Amino acid sequence: MHDDTIAAIATAVGESGIAVIRISGPAAIEAAAPYVRAKVGLKEAATHTVQYAKIVNPSTGETIDEALVTVMRAPRSFTAEDVVEISVHGGVVPVRRVLDLLLAGGAIRLAEPGEFTRRAFLNGRIDLAQAEAVMDLIRSKSERAMKVALKQVEGTLSRKIRELRQRLIELLAHLEVNIDYPEHDVEELTSAFIRERCGEALEEIRRLLKTANEGRILRDGLMTAIVGRPNVGKSSLLNLLAGAERAIVTDIPGTTRDVIEEYVTVSGIPLRLLDTAGIRETTDVVERIGVERSRSALSDADLLLVVLNRSEPLHEDDRTLLGQAAGRQVIVILNKSDLPAKLDEDEVRRLLPEAAVVPMSVKEGAGLEELGQAIAALFFSGKLEGNEETFALLKQAEQALVDAIQSTEAGVPIDIVQIDVRLAWERLGEITGDTAGESLIDQIFSQFCLGK
């Protein structure tokens, strides 16, 4: 445990009903007590109790603010230390005056970004994967992303990683015995055992890798480009998804001249939505620049929403666009489904057989649920795990196990194979913090906001 006491504003700075100042440390209650006037003194207050109090300057007796003060005694707190939380009136001036008063006495210092969560990790309250999940929870852009992060805070991923590490440590113990007592080793049986155990771990890691990418999408938003020829309803679709008039909509082709970006949520999936200029050949200089930017967005996007006008026959520009979208994650939207159909859907499916096809009437708001289902079917297969750091460490563990299996099949000595198995075990340990170096820990906690 740390031997000093820290404090910081734990809520967003600005006008609000309340603002919370968090104090943590082995002497948090004693350090905060001189500033709190309540019916029950802070030192005598029972753990996990809240009481009305006045925050006063002990030197002058001046009342700085009224507050609700919560006491949480170690180890039953987020940091596993004594914690005092002071809920004062929201607003920049009241909360700053109270914080400055607490810091002026010298017994409490200002916390560094992420230091509360770091203390929770160092004091064994949470592991590193759970600490990273706290950051994901704070940054979540949709309810679905929040639920995923909350599961990780509760330790869902950590349990799976620890099970994997236990299997590998049992394999390492087996290899150690065979290295120390080679006269008892049956090489053929040992090789089969290594391949079996490494193969089982490799399969589980690859399952986690698959869902780690899904977790990235939920955190950052799925980069989604709305593409199509002019005047098929792209901007109207953006406005429908955004719930606001973000793009100008007219009957004049070529109205959208640049890429418009908007964050939206469809069926709980966050989309970083790009409305692009209509893709067509044009002599207009400005529109041509917009078309080029549209083509660039088309190549960079995770998902393409190709919008076609269902009430018109398929245009040659449509066919060209469908050809350019081949091999990508694509959903074809047949817009204007409220009008008589003139487009040949069978031709669309022949040109782009791997794409999902969703009829919509953007004008009437019909087909949104089906669009959400199509996106979920393309990108989400189940429970979602991990983040970017987790993904990188899982990839390294995966490669180490692949190397171990290949070395075994090539007849490489067991002590060399053991190095690869141990590397995989260590990389998995970095995910939970069991084998994490100080630099990795610093990098992770430096991304947290002040007060968390």
Side-chain angles (χ1 to χ4, degrees):
M1 282 199 179
H2 296 266
D3 58 4
D4 61 347
T5 299
I6 58 175
I9 303 167
T11 47
V13 177
E15 294 184 5
S16 61
I18 62 169
V20 178
I21 297 171
R22 176 178 291 159
I23 308 166
S24 181
I29 295 172
E30 183 178 349
Y35 307 98
V36 177
R37 297 287 184 270
K39 186 174 181 180
V40 178
L42 216 57
K43 295 179 183 179
E44 292 75 36
T47 187
H48 291 77
T49 57
V50 183
Q51 59 178 325
Y52 166 79
K54 290 185 177 180
I55 308 302
V56 300
N57 185 329
S59 300
T60 64
E62 177 192 3
T63 298
I64 305 301
D65 201 0
E66 296 178 323
L68 291 177
V69 180
T70 305
V71 173
M72 290 168 277
R73 296 182 182 272
R76 295 174 57 202
S77 72
F78 177 67
T79 59
E81 301 173 331
D82 284 347
V83 170
V84 177
E85 290 190 350
I86 303 175
S87 300
V88 298
H89 287 95
V92 176
V93 174
V95 71
R96 175 52 62 185
R97 286 195 69 194
V98 173
L99 181 61
D100 288 345
L101 178 67
L102 294 171
L103 299 177
I108 302 171
R109 69 169 173 83
L110 185 64
E112 298 174 0
E115 190 169 1
F116 292 101
T117 307
R118 184 182 183 121
R119 288 192 175 199
F121 164 68
L122 294 175
N123 293 333
R125 172 68 173 74
I126 58 175
D127 62 33
L128 203 57
Q130 290 171 296
E132 292 178 274
V134 171
M135 185 164 55
D136 290 341
L137 186 61
I138 294 168
R139 294 177 176 175
S140 55
K141 294 181 175 66
S142 69
E143 184 176 349
R144 186 171 183 173
M146 185 193 73
K147 288 179 179 178
V148 171
L150 189 57
K151 285 184 179 179
Q152 302 315 330
V153 172
E154 294 170 350
T156 304
L157 175 62
S158 301
R159 284 192 292 273
K160 293 180 180 180
I161 295 298
R162 289 199 169 95
E163 289 171 5
L164 271 171
R165 295 190 81 227
Q166 182 59 36
R167 291 184 213 167
L168 292 179
I169 202 66
E170 290 170 2
L171 174 57
L172 284 169
H174 180 85
L175 296 179
E176 287 282 359
V177 169
N178 288 343
I179 290 170
D180 292 341
Y181 302 98
E183 65 273 14
H184 299 295
D185 180 30
V186 180
E187 186 175 335
E188 186 175 329
L189 293 178
T190 298
S191 296
F193 184 70
I194 294 171
R195 289 195 300 271
E196 179 186 352
R197 287 300 175 90
C198 287
E200 291 171 353
L202 191 60
E203 185 178 342
E204 180 62 27
I205 285 174
R206 284 173 174 166
R207 277 198 293 267
L208 293 174
L209 278 169
K210 183 177 180 182
T211 59
N213 186 57
E214 298 169 0
R216 175 192 67 79
I217 290 169
L218 283 185
R219 281 188 308 279
D220 302 335
L222 186 66
M223 185 178 286
T224 306
I226 305 175
V227 296
R229 60 188 175 87
N231 219 32
V232 294
K234 301 185 301 301
S235 295
S236 296
L237 177 60
L238 171 71
N239 290 339
L240 174 65
L241 295 175
E245 295 295 319
R246 282 287 288 112
I248 299 171
V249 178
T250 73
D251 293 330
I252 304 170
T255 301
T256 301
R257 297 298 186 97
D258 203 350
V259 176
I260 299 173
E261 183 173 332
E262 181 78 8
Y263 275 97
V264 303
T265 300
V266 178
S267 299
I269 302 167
L271 306 181
R272 183 183 167 194
L273 208 57
L274 307 175
D275 177 26
T276 63
I279 296 178
R280 65 171 179 173
E281 294 302 321
T282 177
T283 57
D284 186 297
V285 175
V286 178
E287 186 182 357
R288 189 164 64 243
I289 294 172
V291 170
E292 288 305 314
R293 290 183 179 179
S294 296
R295 291 195 172 109
S296 177
L298 188 149
S299 63
D300 294 340
D302 298 314
L303 169 65
L304 301 180
L305 299 181
V306 178
V307 183
L308 305 178
N309 185 345
R310 185 172 174 265
S311 67
E312 295 179 357
L314 203 64
H315 192 278
E316 194 57 40
D317 287 340
D318 295 327
R319 295 186 181 92
T320 301
L321 184 57
L322 291 171
Q324 292 172 340
R328 305 288 304 280
Q329 298 282 45
V330 183
I331 296 174
V332 176
I333 294 175
L334 304 181
N335 189 26
K336 305 185 182 182
S337 61
D338 53 310
L339 300 176
K342 295 182 180 179
L343 183 142
D344 186 350
E345 288 189 33
D346 291 336
E347 184 181 0
V348 172
R349 295 179 190 277
R350 285 195 305 271
L351 290 169
L352 207 58
E354 68 273 21
V357 178
V358 179
M360 290 188 70
S361 172
V362 174
K363 179 181 177 181
E364 297 185 354
L368 273 179
E369 184 177 346
E370 290 77 6
L371 177 60
Q373 291 170 353
I375 296 172
L378 272 179
F379 289 93
F380 301 109
S381 58
K383 295 179 180 178
L384 306 165
E385 318 282 357
N387 53 34
E388 295 296 339
E389 289 83 4
T390 300
F391 185 84
L393 291 168
L394 283 172
K395 287 295 290 183
Q396 293 174 39
E398 176 193 33
Q399 187 57 53
L401 290 176
V402 168
D403 292 342
I405 293 172
Q406 291 177 346
S407 296
T408 302
E409 292 172 345
V412 172
I414 290 178
D415 54 343
I416 303 300
V417 174
Q418 183 202 40
I419 294 173
D420 291 324
V421 177
R422 180 171 292 279
L423 179 61
W425 178 79
E426 289 175 350
R427 291 297 177 265
L428 292 173
E430 288 186 36
I431 295 173
T432 57
D434 296 323
T435 59
E438 190 68 24
S439 60
L440 176 63
I441 294 170
D442 289 342
Q443 177 186 344
I444 289 169
F445 287 105
S446 67
Q447 300 175 58
F448 279 77
C449 57
L450 191 66
K452 194 62 186 173

